[in-house]
Structure formats: structure tokens, C-alpha cells
Amino acid sequence: MTWITWLGYALMCIIYGTSFLAIKLGLGDGMPPFLAAGLRYAIAGGLLCLFLGLSKRWQSLNWRTYLELAWIGFCMTTVPFAALYWAEQHIDSGEAALLVATSPLFSAILALLFRQLTFTWTLVVGLLLSGGGMVFVIGETPSAFQLGSLPFYGKLAIVLSEFIHGLGAIHAKRLMNRVSPATLNGWQMIFASFGLFALSLLIEKNAQVDFTPVTLLSLLHLSIVVSIVASGLFYWLMRETNPLFPVTWTYVSPVIAVAVGALFLNERVTLAHIIGGACVLIGIIVMNLKTKQPASDSSTASLSNANKPTSV
């Protein structure tokens, strides 16, 4: 690989790794969580679809495909990002990043259930490691499991939403045989924003909205730099290298997120975070060592899945 390839990879990891910090800063400066997420994906999806139209890459779809894209948007973006944005009001951005990194854990479980992966012992070891690490990060210590605690509910919401994300990823992989990645990404973000706006109208109708320089910069960074530029780098790396190499950002970005959270927001990093995060990331690596796919389903990529950029 050339130095340009490595530069693109490093830039992609940094962008994804700092996205959790950008969310935290935007929320802390006066943006309600569901409105912030809805605006982010309305802008990103609209710009991407506009680009497809202007570059004559527009893909005509039937109404059934649009329904499928709406379902994928709900599973892969509306639910995970409603949970993530709400949770980041109550937990550190680094913790959120470590919990989002459990997504391949649920993708593996669902892929086994849908017979898109073959059972292997490395898969079992990886699942156990990641699952154990997830428990560490959620609770940190046994005494931290306080059912009335908003941070606990925030962590649990992220983990459960990653299971829903896995359902969407299974469907998205099948749909990518008929719809280009850019078209899928653009439309699912637009449909996802409808769900996020609906949540905002129901829950945040009396919330105060402050469009400060920080909230606007956060919104533009997440909409354009993260959701469009970083995703574009991901698919460029897929073309220039191989299907597995770009996906390794899921191992690197949580480390960056924890580091920048501690550096810029003075977020605490405990031994439980280090042990739990290491177990999650090592488990995901182990799961991908000998991932076997049934011969009848060649469309399934690695456990980290090629659609993951839609959910960062």
C-alpha cells in the first residue's frame, strides 16, 4: 500500500474517533439530542443524494426498495443514534465509543442465526471476550449496576441499539446486491432523519434550542466531515485495498475516542474501561481471524461489516 493509502486510513480513523467528542460538545452547548441527530442526517443524506443527482449517478428505485431503505434507516441510524445522542448526555464520549464498538458482536450473533456465518471456535472465543468486555464497560464494577441510574440506562440503551443495528446490517447486505452503497447510504440517512425528527417533536417540543458557534460547528463536522467525507474515504479504501482492511477502523477509533475525551473533556479513564475496552476490541479481532461464510451467501463481508460507516 502507498503512503497516500495509509494517510487516507489514518484520516478516516481520526475523523470517526473524534465524532463522539463532537456529539458531546454539541449537546453540551444547547442542542437537544434527537433534534441534533435528525439535523445531522437530514443534511448528510440530502447532500449525498444531491451529489448523486448532479454527478448523474442517481439510481431509480421502486417503492418496495424505498420501504426497505426506510427500514434499514430505522434500524441502522434512527435507533442507534437516538440511543447514542441521548446517552451522551449522561456518559462520557469515550465510554460511548467503546460500547458502540460492540456492534460486530451482535452482527456475529445475528449472522449465525441467519446462517450467514459458519460456527467456529474462534468465533465463540471472540464472542465471550467481547461480551465480557461489554459488561465491564457498562458496569465498570458490580456496584455500578444501579437500576435508577441514568448513566446505566444510557449504556444499556447503546448496547441494545447495536443489536437493532445488526438487524439492519443483515438486510442492508442483501440490498447492496441491487442498490449502490452511496444510494443506500444517502436514502437511509434521509429516512432515518424522519424518525429522529418525530422523536424530537414528541419529546423535545418544549426544549430550548441554542444555535451557538459550537453547536453549528459540531453539526457541520458530523454531517459533512464524518457522515460524508469519512464514509467516502472508507469506500475509496475498499476499492484501493481489500474489503477487510478499511473495516479495521473499528479497532482504532474507540482508542482515539477515549484519548481525545480524556484530553479535551477531562473524561476519566478507569481500569475497568481499559480492561473492558481491550476485551471488546481483542474479541472482535479474534472473531475476524477465521470468519467462514456459507458458500451460498457470498455477499456477506467481515463481521465488522462494510456498512458500518452509516452508523458512526
Side-chain angles (χ1 to χ4, degrees), residues 15-264:
I15 292 172
Y16 283 142
T18 56
S19 64
F20 300 91
L21 174 67
I23 292 171
K24 190 80 172 178
L25 290 173
L27 296 175
D29 219 50
M31 279 293 284
F34 303 133
L35 177 62
L39 287 172
R40 169 186 176 177
Y41 285 104
I43 294 170
L47 288 175
L48 187 51
C49 287
L50 178 63
F51 169 76
L52 290 172
L54 293 176
S55 61
K56 298 182 180 179
R57 298 178 186 177
W58 187 266
Q59 193 172 357
S60 297
L61 307 171
N62 58 47
W63 67 270
R64 287 190 179 87
T65 303
Y66 282 118
L67 287 178
E68 290 182 86
L69 288 168
W71 170 247
I72 290 169
F74 174 78
C75 291
M76 295 190 68
T77 302
T78 300
V79 173
F81 281 89
L84 176 62
Y85 273 69
W86 178 80
E88 281 212 43
Q89 297 176 112
H90 310 293
I91 66 174
D92 290 342
S93 62
E95 284 183 310
L98 291 173
L99 291 169
V100 169
T102 63
S103 178
L105 166 67
F106 296 107
S107 294
I109 294 170
L110 289 166
L112 283 171
L113 292 176
F114 284 91
R115 297 184 179 181
Q116 292 185 344
L117 284 179
T118 301
F119 177 90
T120 64
W121 284 110
T122 54
L123 190 58
V124 174
V125 172
L127 288 171
L128 290 173
L129 276 171
S130 293
M134 178 180 64
V135 172
F136 260 98
V137 177
I138 290 176
E140 299 181 46
T141 63
S143 62
F145 283 95
Q146 302 170 9
L147 294 183
S149 165
L150 285 175
F152 172 80
Y153 285 132
K155 295 174 186 179
L156 192 61
I158 292 176
V159 171
L160 293 177
S161 73
E162 290 305 318
F163 177 81
I164 304 298
H165 175 275
L167 287 174
I170 293 290
H171 197 118
K173 287 171 184 173
R174 296 170 180 168
L175 189 60
M176 285 182 72
N177 292 326
R178 295 181 281 122
V179 179
S180 71
T183 300
L184 187 151
N185 201 11
W187 277 111
Q188 73 85 19
M189 287 194 287
I190 289 175
F191 285 124
S193 70
F194 296 159
L196 291 163
F197 285 140
L199 278 173
S200 182
L201 286 172
L202 288 172
I203 299 172
E204 301 170 339
K205 57 184 176 182
N206 296 321
Q208 182 178 351
V209 181
D210 295 321
F211 286 100
T212 67
V214 173
T215 59
L216 290 174
L217 283 173
S218 169
L219 181 61
L220 290 174
H221 175 77
L222 292 165
S223 301
I224 299 173
V225 180
V226 177
S227 296
I228 296 178
V229 175
S231 292
L233 284 170
F234 177 88
Y235 290 113
W236 174 73
L237 287 166
M238 288 274 287
R239 187 184 71 239
E240 295 295 318
T241 59
N242 59 70
L244 295 181
F245 174 70
V247 177
T248 58
W249 73 264
T250 56
Y251 316 143
V252 179
S253 292
V255 179
I256 296 173
V258 171
V260 296
L263 181 63
F264 293 104

Side-chain angles (χ1 to χ4, degrees), residues 268-288:
R268 62 194 181 94
V269 181
T270 67
L271 182 61
H273 290 148
I274 295 171
I275 295 173
C279 286
V280 168
L281 300 179
I282 293 170
I284 293 168
I285 293 171
V286 170
M287 279 191 285
N288 278 283

